[in-house]
Amino acid sequence: MTEKLIIKGGNPLKGEVNISGAKNSALVVLAASILSKDDVVIKNVPDLTDVNTIIELLNYFGSKIERKSKGEFVINSRFINKNTAPYELVSKMRASFFTLGALLARFGEAQIPLPGGCAIGSRPVDIHLKGLKALGAEVSIEHGMTIVKANKLIGNKIYLDFPSVGATENIIMAACLAEGTTIIENCAKEPEVVDLANFLNSMGAKIHGAGSATITIDGVKKLHSTEHNVIPDRIEAGTFMLAAGATKGKIVVHNALEKHLESLISKMIEAGVKINIIDDKTIEVDATNTIIKPVDVRTLPYPGFFTDLQSQMVAFLSLAKGTSIVYETVFENRFMYVDELNRMGADIKTESNLAIIKGVPSLSGAPVKATDLRAAAALAIAGFSAEGETTITELQYLDRGYENFEEKCKKLGADIKRIKELPVLTY
Ligand code: UD1
């Protein structure tokens, strides 16, 4: 059975939308629950296929997981009996690699297959491994498997060559139960890293400085039970904000934290969209009289403009009056979707990590294929603003990162439906 989204464009998005828990926080917080032998309650977990994959992985390791109510899980990892992940789960979702640091800290050994490349670039894990080595782990790669072992992890000073989100998180998790103090320099400052640190601190960890370029971790002997609410998803919030901008709509976004969205807010204001901060968790986007001005964007680690909103931003800028330039500095191959936008009438040229976007007055609906998670959202934004019908296939990408996407869009007045079709057989 294949699934398609059918969007009839032209309706400005109007109304209110509630943002779900952050996928990237939920994934790492769920992975970190391995570090405690006690019950850990995690709330505001979005219902997504990526979350199901990490739950499946924890189950595989031997954690006991109970889904209490919508978005609430109780996890107990006391009786974990495996520390080797199967390739099928890691190849489905590279965030499975984020269990490496936690398993190593708890059991002194872990084996996780190398995740390999993905639709947006080669995505190596050298920085994760360098960090774990600095804590005293022996690291080897055998037959595609990363094997890490340590009789004892010992705190150390670690400088990251790039502020990798996953490496920062893996090292924090390992360092929590290490002996002595770890100092991570040039670490990622993303809100999801801060959420992980808050979660671990609520379990008795001693992590200072999360959200800044230097994180200090004083190792503790064990972590106890806790209850934690995952932060709201800034990428989902940004996607709806850009969808309102592209359709000349007016929406109120609830559970959108202004402080996590500053780079997007400033670029949208520069493009001529009115943004009203109603309170620290509520943002109104008003594009009813906006003629989108071109703006240049460079993706950067947080607090720079997030790469995970780059494709949605390009879809929005494809309707600007003038030429914008978007420079992708975080991933090497994140413009695969541009050909699909061009099939809808956009005028975008790419060269290496640059996209040159000549704005067009309107897009036209077309059958298009999602090439990755955020590309799927960008095509939906284009579809909402286009004349006529857009059909989006390869929805497995969208379902990895957007909870109740169609319902939320419909509530905002979008004409969107999902259909299931039997595959066409060719002989
Ligand atoms: C996380 C997010 C992802 C987001 C990305 C950047 C999760 C589950 N995913 O991914 O949505 O797009 O942050 O904000 O949280 N790199 C290396 N060596 C390494 C690690 C990374 O060279 O060991 C490079 C990567 O190839 C990439 C860049 O660093 O070019 C950023 O990657 P990283 O911050 O690690 O992204 P992830 O943690 O995988």
Side-chain angles (χ1 to χ4, degrees):
M1 201 71 92
T2 55
E3 297 194 351
K4 289 179 177 176
L5 273 187
I6 300 187
I7 297 174
K8 290 203 177 87
N11 297 353
L13 298 194
K14 286 198 174 126
E16 308 196 2
V17 63
N18 279 315
I19 298 307
S20 301
K23 169 182 85 82
N24 289 347
S25 265
L27 294 178
V28 71
V29 163
L30 285 161
S33 66
I34 291 173
L35 287 163
S36 174
K37 291 182 184 165
D38 298 336
D39 276 3
V40 169
V41 181
I42 306 172
K43 295 179 176 173
N44 201 29
V45 177
D47 188 7
L48 302 168
T49 54
D50 272 10
V51 167
N52 294 339
T53 304
I54 198 96
I55 296 283
E56 211 181 315
L57 187 60
L58 293 177
N59 249 320
Y60 176 88
F61 291 145
S63 302
K64 258 182 59 198
I65 299 160
E66 216 184 315
R67 194 184 288 250
K68 277 282 188 200
S69 56
K70 192 182 170 307
E72 181 176 336
F73 291 86
V74 182
I75 301 174
N76 188 296
S77 297
R78 177 173 291 269
F79 298 112
I80 283 189
N81 52 17
K82 288 194 197 76
N83 56 10
T84 303
Y87 177 65
E88 300 73 60
L89 288 179
V90 179
S91 62
K92 251 196 213 173
M93 183 189 70
R94 65 184 310 290
S96 308
F97 198 75
F98 297 3
T99 54
L100 189 72
L103 286 172
L104 173 68
R106 197 60 215 269
F107 304 103
E109 181 170 348
Q111 301 195 15
I112 312 281
L114 274 177
C118 76
I120 58 175
S122 83
R123 308 190 77 172
V125 289
D126 54 316
I127 306 173
H128 299 238
L129 301 182
K130 202 173 138 189
L132 298 180
K133 263 189 206 164
L135 295 177
E138 266 175 45
V139 177
S140 59
I141 313 270
E142 287 171 28
H143 308 291
M145 186 68 95
T146 315
I147 304 170
V148 289
K149 286 183 190 168
N151 288 334
K152 191 158 57 162
L153 292 173
I154 298 175
N156 200 349
K157 196 160 182 179
I158 302 166
Y159 172 81
L160 306 189
D161 294 331
F162 183 89
S164 153
V165 175
T168 304
E169 293 171 341
N170 244 332
I171 299 166
I172 290 178
M173 288 186 269
C176 263
L177 296 181
E179 197 178 287
T181 300
T182 299
I183 299 172
I184 317 174
E185 302 272 18
N186 194 32
C187 55
K189 301 175 194 154
E190 267 69 0
E192 294 74 21
V193 172
V194 178
D195 202 30
L196 171 68
N198 288 340
F199 169 67
L200 292 168
N201 283 341
S202 73
M203 294 159 89
K206 294 203 168 113
I207 304 165
H208 307 279
S212 75
T214 305
I215 296 180
T216 306
I217 304 138
D218 292 315
V220 295
K221 289 252 177 310
K222 61 178 189 166
L223 297 179
H224 52 70
S225 66
T226 190
E227 203 174 295
H228 181 77
N229 265 301
V230 170
I231 55 168
D233 197 310
R234 63 198 167 105
I235 316 295
E236 189 198 11
T239 300
F240 280 106
M241 290 167 70
L242 287 164
T247 58
K248 299 197 182 296
K250 182 175 176 178
I251 66 170
V252 174
V253 191
H254 296 283
N255 295 327
L257 304 190
E258 181 204 357
K259 65 172 189 254
H260 292 174
L261 286 155
E262 276 166 356
S263 58
L264 174 68
I265 290 171
S266 77
K267 284 291 159 189
M268 289 189 76
I269 292 173
E270 202 181 320
V273 178
K274 275 197 204 149
I275 306 278
N276 304 320
I277 308 298
I278 296 175
D279 59 44
D280 58 354
K281 281 167 91 176
T282 318
I283 299 174
E284 184 186 62
V285 179
D286 182 357
T288 39
N289 294 313
T290 300
I291 293 168
I292 303 171
K293 288 186 225 148
V295 296
D296 294 344
V297 176
R298 174 185 287 258
T299 66
L300 286 169
Y302 188 85
F305 191 91
F306 358 129
T307 174
D308 285 354
L309 279 178
Q310 180 256 97
S311 30
Q312 302 90 314
M313 188 71 182
V314 168
F316 166 75
L317 291 175
S318 71
L319 293 160
K321 201 166 178 196
T323 301
S324 309
I325 293 180
V326 172
Y327 185 21
E328 170 61 55
T329 77
V330 179
F331 288 109
E332 60 182 20
N333 185 23
R334 211 167 189 178
F335 288 128
M336 294 258 286
Y337 65 91
V338 158
D339 290 336
E340 302 299 302
L341 281 183
N342 284 344
R343 299 190 67 250
M344 298 178 71
D347 183 352
I348 308 168
K349 288 194 179 61
T350 57
E351 202 173 306
S352 175
N353 279 4
L354 270 190
I356 301 152
I357 306 139
K358 277 193 190 155
V360 293
S362 64
L363 298 171
S364 60
V368 286
K369 240 196 272 178
T371 51
D372 69 64
L373 161 55
R374 305 304 168 185
L379 294 173
I381 291 176
F384 295 143
S385 62
E387 289 164 7
E389 188 172 288
T390 297
T391 311
I392 308 178
T393 49
E394 307 295 335
L395 298 185
Q396 71 279 10
Y397 290 119
L398 186 81
D399 296 338
R400 292 182 62 171
Y402 290 92
E403 185 180 51
N404 295 331
F405 186 70
E406 292 96 272
E407 288 70 22
K408 290 185 185 187
C409 296
K410 265 187 213 155
K411 219 180 131 215
L412 293 171
D415 187 338
I416 179 171
K417 67 176 178 216
R418 186 183 288 239
I419 58 162
K420 291 185 184 179
E421 274 180 352
L422 286 171
V424 179
L425 297 175
T426 48
Y427 294 98

Short mmCIF file of all heavy atoms in Angstrom, two decimals, residues 17-23 44-49 51-52 67 69-73 233 236 240 255 373-374 397-409 418:
data_model
loop_
_atom_site.label_atom_id
_atom_site.label_comp_id
_atom_site.label_asym_id
_atom_site.label_seq_id
_atom_site.Cartn_x
_atom_site.Cartn_y
_atom_site.Cartn_z
N VAL A 17 -2.64 26.61 16.04
CA VAL A 17 -2.04 25.27 15.98
C VAL A 17 -1.21 25.03 17.25
O VAL A 17 -0.58 25.96 17.76
CB VAL A 17 -1.20 25.12 14.68
CG1 VAL A 17 -0.02 26.08 14.61
CG2 VAL A 17 -0.70 23.69 14.49
N ASN A 18 -1.29 23.79 17.74
CA ASN A 18 -0.52 23.41 18.93
C ASN A 18 0.68 22.60 18.52
O ASN A 18 0.55 21.61 17.80
CB ASN A 18 -1.36 22.53 19.85
CG ASN A 18 -2.28 23.38 20.69
OD1 ASN A 18 -1.88 24.40 21.25
ND2 ASN A 18 -3.54 22.96 20.76
N ILE A 19 1.84 22.99 19.00
CA ILE A 19 3.07 22.30 18.62
C ILE A 19 3.32 21.10 19.56
O ILE A 19 3.13 21.20 20.77
CB ILE A 19 4.25 23.30 18.63
CG1 ILE A 19 3.99 24.40 17.60
CG2 ILE A 19 5.59 22.62 18.40
CD1 ILE A 19 3.67 23.92 16.19
N SER A 20 3.74 20.00 18.98
CA SER A 20 3.99 18.77 19.75
C SER A 20 5.37 18.81 20.42
O SER A 20 6.16 19.74 20.19
CB SER A 20 3.94 17.57 18.81
OG SER A 20 2.69 17.51 18.18
N GLY A 21 5.67 17.77 21.15
CA GLY A 21 7.00 17.63 21.76
C GLY A 21 8.06 17.47 20.69
O GLY A 21 7.78 16.97 19.59
N ALA A 22 9.29 17.89 21.02
CA ALA A 22 10.36 17.89 20.02
C ALA A 22 10.87 16.48 19.73
O ALA A 22 11.31 15.77 20.65
CB ALA A 22 11.53 18.75 20.52
N LYS A 23 10.82 16.11 18.47
CA LYS A 23 11.33 14.78 18.07
C LYS A 23 12.77 14.57 18.55
O LYS A 23 13.09 13.56 19.17
CB LYS A 23 11.27 14.65 16.55
CG LYS A 23 12.00 13.43 16.02
CD LYS A 23 11.97 13.33 14.52
CE LYS A 23 13.01 14.11 13.80
NZ LYS A 23 14.34 13.49 13.70
N ASN A 44 5.06 14.28 27.00
CA ASN A 44 5.07 15.14 25.81
C ASN A 44 5.93 14.54 24.70
O ASN A 44 6.60 15.25 23.96
CB ASN A 44 5.56 16.56 26.17
CG ASN A 44 5.10 17.59 25.14
OD1 ASN A 44 4.05 17.42 24.52
ND2 ASN A 44 5.87 18.63 24.94
N VAL A 45 5.88 13.21 24.60
CA VAL A 45 6.63 12.51 23.54
C VAL A 45 5.72 12.46 22.30
O VAL A 45 4.60 11.98 22.38
CB VAL A 45 6.99 11.07 23.99
CG1 VAL A 45 7.69 10.32 22.88
CG2 VAL A 45 7.83 11.10 25.26
N PRO A 46 6.20 12.96 21.15
CA PRO A 46 5.33 12.96 19.98
C PRO A 46 5.16 11.55 19.39
O PRO A 46 6.05 10.71 19.53
CB PRO A 46 6.09 13.86 18.99
CG PRO A 46 7.52 13.75 19.40
CD PRO A 46 7.52 13.54 20.89
N ASP A 47 4.03 11.32 18.77
CA ASP A 47 3.74 10.02 18.16
C ASP A 47 4.27 10.03 16.73
O ASP A 47 3.63 10.54 15.81
CB ASP A 47 2.21 9.80 18.20
CG ASP A 47 1.84 8.40 17.76
OD1 ASP A 47 2.76 7.59 17.57
OD2 ASP A 47 0.64 8.14 17.59
N LEU A 48 5.47 9.49 16.56
CA LEU A 48 6.15 9.54 15.26
C LEU A 48 6.82 8.20 15.00
O LEU A 48 7.15 7.49 15.94
CB LEU A 48 7.27 10.60 15.32
CG LEU A 48 6.87 12.03 15.67
CD1 LEU A 48 8.10 12.86 15.97
CD2 LEU A 48 6.08 12.64 14.52
N THR A 49 7.10 7.93 13.73
CA THR A 49 7.75 6.63 13.46
C THR A 49 9.16 6.59 14.04
O THR A 49 9.61 5.54 14.49
CB THR A 49 7.79 6.30 11.94
OG1 THR A 49 8.39 7.39 11.27
CG2 THR A 49 6.42 6.03 11.39
N VAL A 51 10.13 7.90 16.84
CA VAL A 51 9.98 7.59 18.27
C VAL A 51 9.68 6.10 18.42
O VAL A 51 10.25 5.42 19.29
CB VAL A 51 8.87 8.46 18.90
CG1 VAL A 51 8.47 7.94 20.28
CG2 VAL A 51 9.35 9.91 19.00
N ASN A 52 8.83 5.56 17.54
CA ASN A 52 8.55 4.11 17.61
C ASN A 52 9.82 3.30 17.41
O ASN A 52 10.01 2.25 18.04
CB ASN A 52 7.51 3.70 16.56
CG ASN A 52 6.16 4.33 16.87
OD1 ASN A 52 5.91 4.72 18.02
ND2 ASN A 52 5.30 4.46 15.88
N ARG A 67 3.33 2.47 27.84
CA ARG A 67 2.76 3.72 27.32
C ARG A 67 1.56 4.03 28.21
O ARG A 67 0.55 3.33 28.15
CB ARG A 67 2.33 3.51 25.87
CG ARG A 67 2.04 4.79 25.12
CD ARG A 67 1.52 4.48 23.73
NE ARG A 67 2.55 3.95 22.85
CZ ARG A 67 3.07 4.62 21.82
NH1 ARG A 67 2.65 5.82 21.55
NH2 ARG A 67 3.98 4.08 21.06
N SER A 69 -0.35 7.13 28.73
CA SER A 69 -1.42 7.84 28.04
C SER A 69 -0.75 8.49 26.85
O SER A 69 0.44 8.27 26.61
CB SER A 69 -2.03 8.90 28.96
OG SER A 69 -0.99 9.75 29.39
N LYS A 70 -1.50 9.30 26.10
CA LYS A 70 -0.91 9.90 24.90
C LYS A 70 0.38 10.66 25.25
O LYS A 70 0.37 11.55 26.08
CB LYS A 70 -1.92 10.84 24.26
CG LYS A 70 -1.50 11.26 22.87
CD LYS A 70 -2.47 12.22 22.26
CE LYS A 70 -1.94 12.82 20.97
NZ LYS A 70 -0.65 13.44 21.03
N GLY A 71 1.46 10.25 24.66
CA GLY A 71 2.71 10.97 24.84
C GLY A 71 3.44 10.71 26.14
O GLY A 71 4.42 11.38 26.43
N GLU A 72 2.95 9.75 26.96
CA GLU A 72 3.62 9.51 28.25
C GLU A 72 4.13 8.07 28.34
O GLU A 72 3.35 7.13 28.16
CB GLU A 72 2.65 9.80 29.40
CG GLU A 72 3.31 9.60 30.74
CD GLU A 72 2.40 9.97 31.91
OE1 GLU A 72 1.47 10.77 31.74
OE2 GLU A 72 2.65 9.43 33.01
N PHE A 73 5.40 7.93 28.60
CA PHE A 73 6.02 6.60 28.70
C PHE A 73 6.67 6.44 30.07
O PHE A 73 7.27 7.38 30.59
CB PHE A 73 7.11 6.43 27.65
CG PHE A 73 6.58 6.35 26.24
CD1 PHE A 73 6.35 7.51 25.50
CD2 PHE A 73 6.31 5.12 25.65
CE1 PHE A 73 5.86 7.43 24.21
CE2 PHE A 73 5.83 5.04 24.36
CZ PHE A 73 5.60 6.20 23.63
N ASP A 233 8.63 21.29 19.89
CA ASP A 233 9.43 21.09 18.67
C ASP A 233 9.56 22.40 17.89
O ASP A 233 8.63 22.86 17.24
CB ASP A 233 8.77 20.01 17.81
CG ASP A 233 9.72 19.47 16.77
OD1 ASP A 233 10.34 20.28 16.06
OD2 ASP A 233 9.87 18.24 16.68
N GLU A 236 8.93 21.95 14.07
CA GLU A 236 7.51 21.89 13.69
C GLU A 236 6.92 23.30 13.74
O GLU A 236 6.19 23.72 12.84
CB GLU A 236 6.75 20.94 14.63
CG GLU A 236 5.34 20.69 14.13
CD GLU A 236 4.39 20.13 15.19
OE1 GLU A 236 4.74 20.11 16.39
OE2 GLU A 236 3.27 19.76 14.81
N PHE A 240 5.22 25.49 10.51
CA PHE A 240 3.90 26.12 10.42
C PHE A 240 4.02 27.63 10.20
O PHE A 240 3.23 28.23 9.48
CB PHE A 240 3.05 25.79 11.65
CG PHE A 240 2.43 24.42 11.55
CD1 PHE A 240 2.91 23.36 12.30
CD2 PHE A 240 1.38 24.18 10.67
CE1 PHE A 240 2.37 22.09 12.18
CE2 PHE A 240 0.83 22.91 10.54
CZ PHE A 240 1.32 21.87 11.30
N ASN A 255 2.75 26.77 22.07
CA ASN A 255 3.92 25.95 22.43
C ASN A 255 5.07 26.18 21.46
O ASN A 255 5.78 25.24 21.07
CB ASN A 255 3.62 24.45 22.45
CG ASN A 255 2.64 24.10 23.52
OD1 ASN A 255 2.65 24.73 24.58
ND2 ASN A 255 1.79 23.14 23.25
N LEU A 373 12.94 14.08 5.32
CA LEU A 373 11.89 14.54 6.24
C LEU A 373 11.50 16.00 6.04
O LEU A 373 10.32 16.33 5.86
CB LEU A 373 12.39 14.28 7.67
CG LEU A 373 11.76 15.03 8.83
CD1 LEU A 373 10.26 14.83 8.87
CD2 LEU A 373 12.37 14.54 10.14
N ARG A 374 12.48 16.90 6.10
CA ARG A 374 12.13 18.33 6.03
C ARG A 374 11.77 18.74 4.61
O ARG A 374 11.01 19.70 4.41
CB ARG A 374 13.27 19.18 6.57
CG ARG A 374 13.69 18.80 7.99
CD ARG A 374 12.55 18.84 9.00
NE ARG A 374 12.92 18.20 10.26
CZ ARG A 374 12.08 18.00 11.27
NH1 ARG A 374 10.82 18.37 11.20
NH2 ARG A 374 12.49 17.41 12.38
N TYR A 397 8.89 9.73 5.02
CA TYR A 397 9.76 10.77 5.55
C TYR A 397 8.98 11.73 6.45
O TYR A 397 9.40 12.04 7.56
CB TYR A 397 10.39 11.57 4.40
CG TYR A 397 11.41 10.80 3.61
CD1 TYR A 397 11.24 10.55 2.25
CD2 TYR A 397 12.57 10.32 4.22
CE1 TYR A 397 12.19 9.85 1.52
CE2 TYR A 397 13.52 9.61 3.51
CZ TYR A 397 13.32 9.38 2.16
OH TYR A 397 14.26 8.68 1.45
N LEU A 398 7.84 12.19 5.95
CA LEU A 398 7.03 13.14 6.73
C LEU A 398 6.64 12.54 8.09
O LEU A 398 6.70 13.21 9.13
CB LEU A 398 5.76 13.48 5.93
CG LEU A 398 4.88 14.56 6.55
CD1 LEU A 398 5.44 15.94 6.20
CD2 LEU A 398 3.45 14.47 6.05
N ASP A 399 6.28 11.26 8.06
CA ASP A 399 5.78 10.60 9.28
C ASP A 399 6.87 10.39 10.33
O ASP A 399 6.57 10.10 11.48
CB ASP A 399 5.13 9.25 8.91
CG ASP A 399 3.91 9.47 8.03
OD1 ASP A 399 3.35 10.59 8.06
OD2 ASP A 399 3.52 8.53 7.30
N ARG A 400 8.12 10.57 9.93
CA ARG A 400 9.21 10.47 10.91
C ARG A 400 9.21 11.66 11.85
O ARG A 400 9.71 11.56 12.97
CB ARG A 400 10.57 10.44 10.19
CG ARG A 400 10.80 9.20 9.39
CD ARG A 400 12.16 9.22 8.77
NE ARG A 400 13.18 9.25 9.82
CZ ARG A 400 14.47 9.12 9.61
NH1 ARG A 400 14.91 8.93 8.39
NH2 ARG A 400 15.32 9.17 10.60
N GLY A 401 8.68 12.81 11.40
CA GLY A 401 8.91 14.01 12.19
C GLY A 401 7.74 14.95 12.41
O GLY A 401 7.91 15.98 13.07
N TYR A 402 6.56 14.66 11.88
CA TYR A 402 5.41 15.57 12.07
C TYR A 402 4.24 14.78 12.62
O TYR A 402 3.69 13.92 11.93
CB TYR A 402 5.04 16.26 10.75
CG TYR A 402 6.09 17.27 10.33
CD1 TYR A 402 7.13 16.91 9.51
CD2 TYR A 402 6.05 18.58 10.81
CE1 TYR A 402 8.12 17.82 9.15
CE2 TYR A 402 7.03 19.50 10.46
CZ TYR A 402 8.06 19.11 9.64
OH TYR A 402 9.04 20.01 9.30
N GLU A 403 3.84 15.10 13.84
CA GLU A 403 2.71 14.41 14.47
C GLU A 403 1.40 15.02 13.96
O GLU A 403 1.25 16.25 13.95
CB GLU A 403 2.81 14.59 16.00
CG GLU A 403 1.77 13.81 16.75
CD GLU A 403 1.89 13.98 18.28
OE1 GLU A 403 1.94 15.13 18.75
OE2 GLU A 403 1.94 12.97 18.98
N ASN A 404 0.47 14.17 13.57
CA ASN A 404 -0.86 14.61 13.10
C ASN A 404 -0.79 15.74 12.08
O ASN A 404 -1.52 16.73 12.19
CB ASN A 404 -1.73 15.12 14.28
CG ASN A 404 -2.04 14.02 15.24
OD1 ASN A 404 -2.12 12.86 14.86
ND2 ASN A 404 -2.20 14.38 16.51
N PHE A 405 0.09 15.61 11.13
CA PHE A 405 0.33 16.72 10.20
C PHE A 405 -0.95 17.13 9.47
O PHE A 405 -1.31 18.31 9.46
CB PHE A 405 1.43 16.33 9.20
CG PHE A 405 1.84 17.47 8.30
CD1 PHE A 405 2.54 18.55 8.82
CD2 PHE A 405 1.52 17.46 6.95
CE1 PHE A 405 2.93 19.61 8.00
CE2 PHE A 405 1.90 18.52 6.12
CZ PHE A 405 2.61 19.59 6.65
N GLU A 406 -1.64 16.16 8.88
CA GLU A 406 -2.83 16.54 8.08
C GLU A 406 -3.90 17.19 8.96
O GLU A 406 -4.50 18.19 8.57
CB GLU A 406 -3.46 15.32 7.39
CG GLU A 406 -2.63 14.71 6.32
CD GLU A 406 -1.82 13.54 6.86
OE1 GLU A 406 -0.70 13.78 7.35
OE2 GLU A 406 -2.31 12.41 6.81
N GLU A 407 -4.13 16.60 10.15
CA GLU A 407 -5.17 17.15 11.03
C GLU A 407 -4.86 18.60 11.39
O GLU A 407 -5.72 19.47 11.36
CB GLU A 407 -5.30 16.32 12.32
CG GLU A 407 -5.94 14.96 12.15
CD GLU A 407 -5.05 13.98 11.40
OE1 GLU A 407 -3.82 14.16 11.36
OE2 GLU A 407 -5.61 13.02 10.80
N LYS A 408 -3.59 18.85 11.74
CA LYS A 408 -3.21 20.22 12.13
C LYS A 408 -3.40 21.17 10.95
O LYS A 408 -3.87 22.30 11.13
CB LYS A 408 -1.77 20.25 12.63
CG LYS A 408 -1.61 19.55 13.98
CD LYS A 408 -0.19 19.70 14.52
CE LYS A 408 -0.02 18.90 15.81
NZ LYS A 408 1.27 19.13 16.47
N CYS A 409 -3.01 20.74 9.76
CA CYS A 409 -3.12 21.61 8.58
C CYS A 409 -4.58 21.86 8.23
O CYS A 409 -4.97 22.97 7.89
CB CYS A 409 -2.40 21.00 7.38
SG CYS A 409 -0.63 20.85 7.65
N ARG A 418 -4.98 12.40 2.87
CA ARG A 418 -4.04 11.31 2.62
C ARG A 418 -4.83 10.16 2.02
O ARG A 418 -5.90 9.81 2.51
CB ARG A 418 -3.41 10.86 3.94
CG ARG A 418 -2.32 9.82 3.78
CD ARG A 418 -1.79 9.38 5.13
NE ARG A 418 -0.98 10.39 5.76
CZ ARG A 418 0.30 10.23 6.14
NH1 ARG A 418 0.90 9.08 5.93
NH2 ARG A 418 0.97 11.20 6.72
#
